[in-house]
Amino acid sequence: MTANDNRCVIAVAGPAALAEAAADRVLARIEANSGRVAICLTGGSSPRQLYQLLATDAYRSRIPWQRVHWFIGDERFVPADDPLNNMGMARELFLDSCAPAANIHPIPTATADPTDPDRCAALYERELQSFYGADTLDQARPLFDLVLMGVGPDGHTASLFPGDPALDQTARWVVGVPRANVEPFVPRVTLTLPTLASCREMLFEIAGTEKHAILTRLFARENLPANRARSTGETVWLVDRDALPEDFGGRQDS
């Protein structure tokens, strides 16, 4: 079965509640680990309010910034200051004002050749392996404490698109994507499904009525990338009620 058998769907009332619920889960994962923490961020529009919230005093003061490391699930070959740069957005909204520079781990697309995204992927793979301390992932020792995820209109997640051979990659931690299926149509670099799965919690954020159609397909268990992405630990989908299919009967929070 390609759908997430361990997926917990939590419906919330609107984008503000979604961001607050996500921020609380980020804090909970940080607080559960008294050592070095690793969080894998995501791009797109869904996490913007979350990132803004993490920069506010109410959350910023509760994060031990010196021991939290921030990675990114995928990146586009656009300039670092481009609004479509995933880590660039996170840096602008909260990382550069809160986190030590040494704890921010962007995919090095700015200095890489866009015609050879797989070489850039190899560089990030080595960085992840160095941080992890091994070149093979151990299910008993997750790479990340938390992986943030989103869902695209075609069911892609990170930069893993429907029908892409990268979906079946098990040996590589990170791969190059020569061309995306959705805008911007530029090369990308993405973590693979096994790497994303190596986490204590995978947290999807899904908001807006425009996601209603793709969620209907996902909840019908279509073989789409977002349905193949799941944590070796806990997989949680935080969903704005406006995006939910009409027949959704799962858990609903206020």
Side-chain angles (χ1 to χ4, degrees):
M1 184 177 295
T2 57
N4 296 9
D5 295 331
N6 66 337
R7 177 172 62 200
C8 170
V9 179
I10 303 173
V12 296
L18 187 77
E20 185 174 350
D24 288 343
R25 297 193 76 92
V26 170
L27 285 181
R29 282 296 166 185
I30 292 173
E31 291 168 357
N33 184 350
S34 61
R36 188 177 65 170
V37 177
I39 294 178
C40 185
L41 302 172
T42 187
S45 58
S46 295
R48 286 191 68 89
Q49 284 188 259
L50 165 63
Y51 296 164
Q52 291 168 336
L53 197 57
L54 292 176
T56 63
D57 289 342
Y59 287 91
R60 179 176 182 169
S61 61
R62 297 170 60 191
I63 296 176
W65 296 98
Q66 293 296 328
R67 62 181 182 87
V68 182
H69 289 256
W70 308 87
F71 296 86
I72 194 79
D74 71 309
E75 193 55 88
R76 302 146 171 178
F77 275 84
V78 295
D81 59 354
D82 191 300
L84 295 177
N85 187 285
N86 291 334
M87 186 62 96
M89 177 185 71
R91 296 187 75 143
E92 178 186 359
L93 294 178
F94 80 106
L95 287 179
D96 282 347
S97 61
C98 301
N103 291 15
I104 304 171
H105 304 269
I107 295 173
T109 53
T111 57
D113 181 355
T115 66
D116 191 10
D118 218 39
R119 178 172 172 78
C120 180
L123 292 174
Y124 205 56
E125 181 170 296
R126 287 198 289 271
E127 181 170 357
L128 287 171
Q129 291 172 343
S130 176
F131 180 86
Y132 187 66
D135 58 9
T136 302
L137 291 166
D138 180 354
Q139 185 169 335
R141 185 170 70 92
L143 168 61
F144 300 113
D145 292 272
L146 180 71
V147 170
L148 294 172
M149 301 282 271
V151 174
D154 59 348
H156 82 266
T157 192
S159 280
L160 296 165
F161 297 97
D164 195 314
L167 288 166
D168 298 316
Q169 178 61 248
T170 58
R172 294 287 305 276
W173 292 30
V174 189
V175 294
V177 180
R179 188 177 185 275
N181 288 10
V182 297
E183 292 185 353
F185 299 108
V186 297
R188 305 183 183 201
V189 170
T190 185
L191 275 59
T192 59
L193 286 175
T195 309
L196 293 165
S198 183
C199 60
R200 300 190 185 281
E201 179 177 337
M202 180 178 287
L203 180 63
F204 283 81
E205 274 193 280
I206 305 168
T209 55
E210 68 274 12
K211 295 297 175 70
H212 178 91
I214 192 58
L215 273 184
T216 299
R217 295 173 61 193
L218 288 165
F219 287 177
R221 298 189 173 185
E222 281 194 38
N223 184 17
L224 295 169
N227 264 344
R228 296 179 60 176
R230 58 179 170 182
S231 170
T232 53
E234 186 177 8
T235 303
V236 177
W237 286 39
L238 286 176
V239 184
D240 177 0
R241 287 177 183 158
D242 288 341
L244 285 170
E246 293 179 3
D247 59 352
F248 176 72
R251 172 178 164 186
Q252 300 217 12
D253 288 5
S254 58

